[in-house]
Amino acid sequence: MALFDLLGRSWALGIVWSLSKGPQTFRALQADCGGTSPTVLNRRLKELMATGFVERGEQGYRLSAAGAELSDLLRPLGALANEWADTLDVRGRSSTKD
């Protein structure tokens, strides 16, 4: 369950999702993650690097082999999340009638 704890922290999933598109610099990653604070982004990157999901390369931060495997497992959840979001109205309530 430690993995769920890590991924449940603010912006951890967003970082993995963003890096699944390819390596990014800190600033590009910050912009891709909605302008999250540098402190939070730096903390999450350190945690993701310490756990072996993210590594630093010549082009910036990137997913490690374990991070790429995690990203592949999360991809179907992204599709489900998009489908689910489409069922919500502007206020975040289900648009279907009971």
Side-chain angles (χ1 to χ4, degrees):
M1 294 302 168
L3 178 60
F4 291 138
D5 176 55
L6 173 65
L7 296 178
R9 296 175 189 169
S10 62
W11 289 107
L13 280 173
I15 292 168
V16 172
W17 195 260
S18 293
L19 292 177
S20 70
K21 301 179 235 173
Q24 294 190 40
T25 64
F26 186 90
R27 287 189 182 184
L29 190 54
Q30 183 182 21
D32 204 31
C33 288
T36 186
S37 79
T39 303
V40 170
L41 182 58
N42 191 42
R43 186 176 299 132
R44 290 304 162 258
L45 284 168
K46 284 182 179 181
E47 292 168 350
L48 290 166
M49 286 190 294
T51 55
F53 292 115
V54 172
E55 56 193 21
R56 203 156 178 193
E58 292 179 20
Q59 298 175 342
Y61 296 95
R62 64 181 182 208
L63 293 178
S64 64
E69 183 178 359
L70 175 63
S71 174
D72 288 344
L73 293 169
L74 293 172
R75 195 169 314 283
L77 289 176
L80 176 65
N82 287 333
E83 290 173 18
W84 172 77
D86 289 343
T87 68
L88 301 179
D89 70 308
V90 179
R91 295 178 304 273
R93 297 184 187 137
S94 176
S95 61
T96 59
K97 305 272 184 199
D98 290 0

